[in-house]
């Protein structure tokens, strides 16, 4: 396998009882790519994301992360090598912003000065001036600000891979677009591999270097945004029709 492959799915299926949620996934994500998993609710996007950081394990096949099967990784080490951001954010309400962002470095036993410096760097990076935000608590922040803190926390230990599960879905359209644009700039600047789940075709075009279209647990296409516009698959046409309608 190429050293440039960050994540690879090899004939991966996942069942719950007799129900197959994911069926025969075979694809690779190169280091530095932004792959968007696009699809309707229930299409298998989030399940695919959870397989990458071993929140669930495949029923068949294997997932390779940075050259090693997820079954061979120490689960804790694997997850600390992968940033994870979800729509609900999951900030600890009794922790300050600084404590939330510095959580994983603290668990990794970084010294306090290094953690403080890293927290300040990341808050600057996501547009939250440290002198204004380090001592605040999540309830004192807007939804967009909490989401920025969630992104900063996911980046804190400098993981090479970032997983994001509809992180901006609950935000107003203006804030959502601002965060999409900022995330796109951050990914390029930091050279992160991004796997991003959404059902929003516009978001997929803003963020993706490739778009993976999922339907009924299968990956039905994986193309560049330009190629996606020419895709003949019926589900791709339905999403493109939404894009045309919004215009």
């Amino acid at each position: 396998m190429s050293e440039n492959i960050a994540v690879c799915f090899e004939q991966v299926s996942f069942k719950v009882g007799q129900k197959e949620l994911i069926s025969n996934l075979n694809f690779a994500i190169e280091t530095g790519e932004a792959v968007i998993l696009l699809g309707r609710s229930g299409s298998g996007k989030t399940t695919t994301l959870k397989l990458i950081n071993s929140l669930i394990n495949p029923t068949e096949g294997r997932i390779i992360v940075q050259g090693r099967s997820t079954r061979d990784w120490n689960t804790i080490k694997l997850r600390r090598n992968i940033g994870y951001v979800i729509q609900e954010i999951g900030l600890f309400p009794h922790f300050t912003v600084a404590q939330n962002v510095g959580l994983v470095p603290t668990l990794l036993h970084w010294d306090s000065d290094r953690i403080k410096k890293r927290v300040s760097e990341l808050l600057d990076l996501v547009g939250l001036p440290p002198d204004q935000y380090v001592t605040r608590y999540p309830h004192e922040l807007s939804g967009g600000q909490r989401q920025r803190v969630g992104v900063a926390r996911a980046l804190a230990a400098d993981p090479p891979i970032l997983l994001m599960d509809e992180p901006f879905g609950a935000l107003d359209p203006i804030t959502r677009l601002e965060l999409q644009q900022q995330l796109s700039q951050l990914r390029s600047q930091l050279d992160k591999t991004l796997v991003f789940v959404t059902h929003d075709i516009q978001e997929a075009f803003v963020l993706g270097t490739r778009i993976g279209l999922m339907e009924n647990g299968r990956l039905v296409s994986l193309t560049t945004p330009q190629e996606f516009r020419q895709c003949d698959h019926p589900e791709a046409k339905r999403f493109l029709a939404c894009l045309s309608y919004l215009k």
Side-chain angles (χ1 to χ4, degrees), residues 89 91 97 100-101 123 126 128 141 144-154:
I89 310 168
L91 300 181
V97 166
N100 269 288
V101 175
L123 290 178
V126 299
L128 298 175
L141 307 176
Q145 289 168 343
R146 288 195 296 271
Q147 201 63 63
R148 291 172 192 269
V149 174
V151 172
R153 184 175 66 179

Side-chain angles (χ1 to χ4, degrees), residues 20-209:
E20 193 166 58
L21 301 182
I22 293 295
S23 180
N24 197 34
L25 291 185
N26 283 285
F27 69 99
I29 301 171
E30 293 188 2
T31 300
E33 270 200 289
V35 169
I36 310 303
L37 298 179
L38 175 70
R40 305 189 200 197
S41 297
S43 62
K45 308 182 301 296
T46 294
T47 301
T48 301
L49 207 68
K50 288 180 176 179
L51 285 163
I52 296 174
N53 66 350
S54 282
L55 287 174
I56 54 177
N57 292 310
T59 309
E60 299 176 16
R62 65 176 187 161
I63 300 108
I64 309 297
V65 176
Q66 294 186 298
R68 189 188 314 175
S69 169
T70 52
R71 296 186 186 276
D72 296 333
W73 273 91
N74 174 286
T75 304
I76 293 174
K77 288 183 178 179
L78 172 66
R79 291 175 186 164
R80 288 179 181 171
N81 270 275
I82 298 174
Y84 191 45
V85 185
I86 58 176
Q87 183 172 322
E88 293 82 9
I89 310 168
L91 300 181
F92 291 101
H94 57 290
F95 279 16
T96 64
V97 166
Q99 290 170 323
N100 269 288
V101 175
L103 178 61
V104 173
T106 299
L107 294 173
L108 293 173
H109 305 295
W110 290 18
D111 66 66
S112 58
D113 287 343
R114 184 183 177 193
I115 293 172
K116 184 177 180 180
K117 181 180 178 182
R118 183 63 174 163
V119 168
S120 292
E121 289 173 349
L122 287 169
L123 290 178
D124 271 332
L125 202 61
V126 299
L128 298 175
D131 58 342
Q132 297 179 32
Y133 287 94
V134 288
T135 60
R136 293 193 189 182
Y137 288 86
H139 73 271
E140 299 176 298
L141 307 176
S142 69
Q145 289 168 343
R146 288 195 296 271
Q147 201 63 63
R148 291 172 192 269
V149 174
V151 172
R153 184 175 66 179
L155 293 170
D158 199 23
I161 299 170
L162 189 61
L163 308 181
M164 305 188 79
D165 191 356
E166 301 196 61
F168 309 143
L171 301 176
D172 65 84
I174 295 173
T175 303
R176 184 171 183 165
L177 181 59
E178 288 173 351
L179 286 177
Q180 289 167 357
Q181 292 170 337
Q182 185 175 39
L183 177 62
S184 183
Q185 293 169 358
L186 281 177
R187 188 196 62 78
S188 300
Q189 180 180 342
L190 300 175
D191 195 28
K192 301 295 180 188
T193 302
L194 174 65
V195 189
F196 189 106
V197 162
T198 188
H199 58 261
D200 184 330
I201 181 67
Q202 285 188 305
E203 190 162 64
F205 276 101
V206 170
L207 293 173
T209 56

